[in-house]
Amino acid sequence: MTPILVATDLSARSDRALARAATLARAGGARLVLLCVIDDDRPHAVVLAEEAETRTALEAMAGRLGGVETTPRIETGHPAVMIGKVASEVDAGLVVLGAHRNRGLPDLFGRPSLSRILGGIDRPVLIASGRPE
């Protein structure tokens, strides 16, 4: 069974994506790859500290999923590039993302983050805006 990639920014909104991906993984016997992309456009020491905290958070998430095989993965770079890259690397059968947060002016004058991310993924994508029933 091909894995399901769920990208998380560790926000409350991304919990919906994680819950939906876990439900699908249980139903289909798939493994979950829990991906968090850390922005590398900051001082190296900050990135390293965030990586350590992110690893702890991803391991805690995996522990709450009971019965779902998970692989935590942390990448540095830009989410619009890295999510698609990792989806291809792990040969994900599905990519699950949380709903987009409206950022106001940046989204008005540029491409919204979700639009940029979707443009870099060559796999089926599920946008989870609500909790699974």
Side-chain angles (χ1 to χ4, degrees):
M1 174 65 65
T2 59
I4 296 172
L5 174 69
V6 58
T8 178
D9 61 3
L10 306 177
S11 70
R13 285 179 322 284
S14 65
D15 281 355
R16 297 174 193 119
L18 180 62
R20 184 62 52 104
T23 298
L24 292 170
R26 279 188 200 96
R31 174 174 60 95
L32 281 184
V33 176
L34 306 177
L35 173 65
C36 187
V37 179
I38 297 171
D39 185 353
D40 63 353
D41 189 26
R42 292 178 289 161
H44 184 65
V46 173
V47 171
L48 288 177
E50 192 169 338
E51 283 178 347
E53 290 178 22
T54 298
R55 185 165 316 286
T56 300
L58 290 178
E59 289 170 357
M61 283 179 170
R64 290 190 303 266
L65 295 178
V68 177
E69 180 186 351
T70 61
T71 303
R73 184 152 174 182
I74 301 168
E75 295 292 336
T76 57
H78 194 285
V81 174
M82 296 308 299
I83 294 172
K85 181 179 178 204
V86 172
S88 293
E89 285 177 8
V90 302
D91 194 25
L94 178 67
V95 176
V96 182
L97 303 171
H100 174 67
R101 174 179 58 151
N102 185 341
R103 296 179 344 176
L105 286 177
D107 285 352
L108 182 63
F109 292 108
R111 275 180 66 199
S113 298
L114 185 58
S115 175
R116 288 192 308 269
I117 291 169
L118 291 173
I121 300 174
D122 65 352
R123 311 284 163 153
V125 176
L126 172 67
I127 307 298
S129 59
R131 299 211 176 272
E133 301 280 331

